[in-house]
């Protein structure tokens, strides 16, 4: 459910569990397809589009040779990560030491006003963090 929530796809838990049981291996590719088509302005209903992606096999698949190392950043991600660390949005950690979250590199975002027993940071997929904290140009 967290993977779907991070992608702004909100399904009834029973439906999400049913889809996960039948298509868990394709979830990441289906979310990528929804995001791709949403950027093209072709998605009015992210939830419905996601379900169709899984049920009809609309997936973004990269050939094995083109799959990126999860510990390498695109130039856009690198620029954002350096800015986010400099501004304190992220805890400055070498990229090679960052954890992955569902196969995607995750950044460490300090929890503001945390309670004594809360963890010191949240793990947020870098693409989600980039949407939540866009670079502010002054």
């Amino acid at each position: 459910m967290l993977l779907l929530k991070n992608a702004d796809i909100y399904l009834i838990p029973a439906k999400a569990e049913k889809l996960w049981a039948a298509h868990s291996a394709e979830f990441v590719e289906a979310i990528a397809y929804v995001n791709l088509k949403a950027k093209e302005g072709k998605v009015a209903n992210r939830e419905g589009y996601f379900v169709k992606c899984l049920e009809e096999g609309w997936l973004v698949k990269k050939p094995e040779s083109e799959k990126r190392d999860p510990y390498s950043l695109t130039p856009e991600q690198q620029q954002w990560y350096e800015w986010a660390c400099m501004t304190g949005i992220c805890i400055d950690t070498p990229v090679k030491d960052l954890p992955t979250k569902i196969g995607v590199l995750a950044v460490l975002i300090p929890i503001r006003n945390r309670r004594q027993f809360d963890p010191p940071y949240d793990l947020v997929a870098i693409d989600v963090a980039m949407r939540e904290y866009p670079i502010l140009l002054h």
Side-chain angles (χ1 to χ4, degrees):
M1 289 300 288
L2 186 59
L3 180 63
L4 294 175
K5 180 182 172 193
N6 287 342
D8 295 323
I9 297 172
Y10 301 95
L11 295 173
I12 296 168
K15 178 72 173 177
E17 289 173 15
K18 182 179 175 186
L19 287 169
W20 180 259
H23 305 283
S24 62
E26 293 89 25
F27 257 52
V28 172
E29 289 87 1
I31 289 170
Y33 194 81
V34 170
N35 290 335
L36 176 70
K37 294 302 178 182
K39 286 179 184 176
E40 295 174 2
K42 296 181 179 180
V43 177
N45 175 334
R46 291 179 70 82
E47 293 76 16
Y49 207 90
F50 175 74
V51 171
K52 281 284 195 185
C53 286
L54 290 175
E55 291 176 346
E56 297 186 18
W58 306 341
L59 307 173
V60 171
K61 288 207 180 230
K62 295 181 181 177
E64 287 298 317
S65 61
E66 290 184 25
K67 287 194 177 176
R68 284 186 36 240
D69 174 4
Y71 292 98
S72 67
L73 300 176
T74 65
E76 181 184 36
Q77 289 172 330
Q78 183 67 41
Q79 178 185 13
W80 179 87
Y81 186 61
E82 289 171 4
W83 170 81
C85 290
M86 199 170 41
T87 59
I89 290 170
C90 294
I91 297 172
D92 193 359
T93 306
V95 173
K96 67 177 181 56
D97 295 334
L98 289 172
T100 58
K101 183 176 182 181
I102 311 170
V104 176
L105 200 62
V107 295
L108 312 175
I109 298 183
I111 298 174
R112 309 265 186 247
N113 303 319
R114 73 183 189 94
R115 297 174 301 214
Q116 181 181 3
F117 298 107
D118 285 342
Y121 56 81
D122 277 330
L123 288 179
V124 180
I126 192 164
D127 293 334
V128 172
M130 288 173 70
R131 282 195 312 266
E132 288 181 15
Y133 303 96
I135 292 179
L136 302 174
L137 301 174
H138 297 288

